[in-house]
Amino acid sequence: MEAVMKENKMGTMPVNKLLVSMALPMMASMLVQAMYNIVDSIFVAKYSAACMTAISLVFPLQTLMIAGGTGIGVGMNAILSRYLGAKDQNGVNKTAFNGIAIYTICYFIFLLAGLFVAEPFMKAQASSQEIADAGTVYLKIVCCFSMGMYTQFCFERMLQSTGKTIYSMITQMTGAVINIVLDPILIFGLLGAPRMGMAGAAVATVIGQCAAGILAVILNLKFNHEIQLRKIRGFIPSGHTMGKILYIGVPSIIMQSIGSVMVLGINTIFSHMNIVDTTLSLTEARDTAIAIFGIYFKLQSFIFMPVFGLNNGMVPIVAFCLGAGNRERLVKTIKLSICYAFCLLLIGTIIFQCIPDKLLALFANESNLEHILSMGIPALRIISIHFPVASFCIISLSVFQALGNGVLSMAVSFCRQLIVLVPLAFLLSLTQHVSSVWLSFVAAESISFILCVFAFRYMYKKAIKPLGQA
């Protein structure tokens, strides 16, 4: 086992080739993940406009679920990669086992949320009983059966931490393809299946997650020999090890949860805004604005998911180089990641600027197409201006986490989304023009860029520069 760990490709392969080989499978799987989220919303939108609005309203709580899984994975991934770099097999195994324990606790928390929180959460936001009922059904199913999602998160992170991102890609793509295939069948009742509507979308999601989770476990047991999962018998949870995972992971959870609070805040602003630049009734205009905000997030995910996949490939390399004390490889990894992220998001801006009407039409039906286009085209064109700027911010925040300072990432994200974005969006909403609200996203990202520059200089002096001196 020691010989295997000495030959880990993260310490020997040329940096650019390593980053590409680590990131490409993750980027591909993330694109598929984004695609099935988009397809999910497209089918729901064709089913009814009320369901599309409901999908937008459930987004904050669903994002909170995902934040838990992603954040714990960030902590577990960083610690695993660091122990792998230091060739500490006992530390690797303890981290993996305690990560499984944390994910189990996380599932039970959201099981309770599905049973007791979903319904009041929707009733507090929805403008009609139809929207509230659709959102409640969806949330109850995805929360109560989220064990598949957390199993998938847990065991995929183990594969990523040891450089086996190709297997992680296989599990993610398996779950996504199953979801995409089942969506129209269960939503519209095709091939003899019952017509389930929103419930069908939720069931398709859960089945895909469970299948991916089971496959991730199998692939770890069969191919991931650097983490000795078969030695889990007799495992005793360690508060110290859990604490190390959560020290890095909790700031990431909070950071993504901040995004959930931000979405809830923007939805609330739209639901109380006196919108004047439309021929719709006030209630219809508010629901349309909320739906467009949800559509934007779905489309944005398709542009940003490859960058997050790049992040997932970068973080284990940075953490490994930190554990191995290799500053040159660490710095080169960060520089290449920023360049790739900038190019990807520049392409995203061009797409949003050139064909916003075609993108929005995917999420509309005959009854609301005109209003979706009139309100949505300015939204996509205004918000997408900040995409290239966001490339540096996204990579920087992940680097901070990989270097063990997730609190810094959390602080920058908190300032961007809650100190700047939501208050500014509220102030601009007083103009009664929806288009004005979208400008708050550009302003918030510009401030985030400035904060990230100062934070990166701090982390370089504290954690990266001493490696060369040592």
Side-chain angles (χ1 to χ4, degrees), residues 194-463:
R195 183 181 175 90
M196 300 174 67
M198 280 285 279
V203 170
T205 297
V206 165
I207 292 175
Q209 290 169 345
C210 289
I214 293 170
L215 181 59
V217 173
I218 294 172
L219 291 175
N220 268 282
L221 291 173
K222 191 169 183 179
F223 299 109
N224 201 1
H225 304 303
E226 288 168 295
I227 300 176
Q228 301 168 338
L229 290 173
R230 297 184 187 277
K231 292 188 176 182
I232 196 170
R233 183 178 299 174
F235 159 68
I236 300 174
S238 166
H240 177 68
T241 304
M242 286 186 181
K244 289 200 293 185
I245 295 172
L246 293 175
Y247 179 76
I248 298 175
V250 166
S252 179
I253 295 173
I254 295 174
M255 187 166 62
Q256 294 185 67
S257 300
I258 289 169
S260 180
V261 175
M262 180 273 291
V263 172
L264 183 61
I266 299 295
N267 283 342
T268 302
I269 289 170
F270 282 138
S271 66
H272 292 85
M273 183 177 172
N274 292 318
I275 302 172
V276 297
D277 50 345
T278 179
T279 58
L280 292 169
S281 69
L282 185 57
T283 299
E284 289 174 329
R286 289 169 173 173
D287 287 346
T288 301
I290 291 171
I292 288 171
F293 186 46
I295 291 170
Y296 158 70
F297 261 96
K298 297 292 183 180
L299 292 171
Q300 179 217 47
S301 70
F302 190 73
I303 302 299
F304 277 69
M305 278 298 185
V307 180
F308 296 144
L310 175 65
N311 267 352
N312 286 342
M314 176 198 70
V315 166
I317 302 174
V318 171
F320 186 97
C321 292
L322 180 67
N326 193 325
R327 182 176 73 167
E328 182 181 356
R329 287 176 66 84
L330 191 153
V331 171
K332 190 172 183 179
T333 300
I334 296 172
K335 288 181 178 179
L336 287 170
S337 299
I338 292 172
C339 291
Y340 288 142
F342 179 84
C343 294
L344 288 168
L345 293 184
L346 180 61
I347 293 171
T349 297
I350 294 171
I351 292 172
F352 271 50
Q353 294 294 323
C354 294
I355 54 170
D357 53 336
K358 293 179 175 58
L359 297 174
L360 291 163
L362 296 171
F363 300 88
N365 52 43
E366 293 181 1
S367 65
N368 65 354
L369 176 60
E370 180 183 351
H371 303 296
I372 289 289
L373 292 179
S374 64
M375 199 179 289
I377 289 175
L380 296 191
R381 284 181 170 158
I382 292 170
I383 301 177
S384 62
I385 294 172
H386 83 263
F387 287 178
V389 177
S391 60
F392 177 76
C393 301
I394 294 171
I395 297 298
S396 296
L397 297 182
S398 293
V399 168
F400 302 157
Q401 293 169 339
L403 295 176
N405 198 334
V407 174
L408 190 57
S409 297
M410 179 188 68
V412 173
S413 184
F414 181 85
C415 289
R416 174 191 176 272
Q417 300 190 72
L418 298 187
I419 301 298
V420 179
L421 179 54
V422 174
L424 186 56
F426 171 73
L427 292 175
L428 292 174
S429 72
L430 300 178
T431 66
Q432 302 182 354
H433 294 281
V434 176
S435 298
S436 300
V437 177
W438 308 123
L439 291 170
S440 59
F441 288 84
V442 181
E445 199 63 58
S446 300
I447 293 173
S448 176
F449 176 82
I450 295 171
L451 293 174
C452 283
V453 169
F454 284 103
F456 193 91
R457 290 182 62 186
Y458 166 76
M459 284 304 299
Y460 181 84
K461 292 179 181 178
K462 179 182 178 181

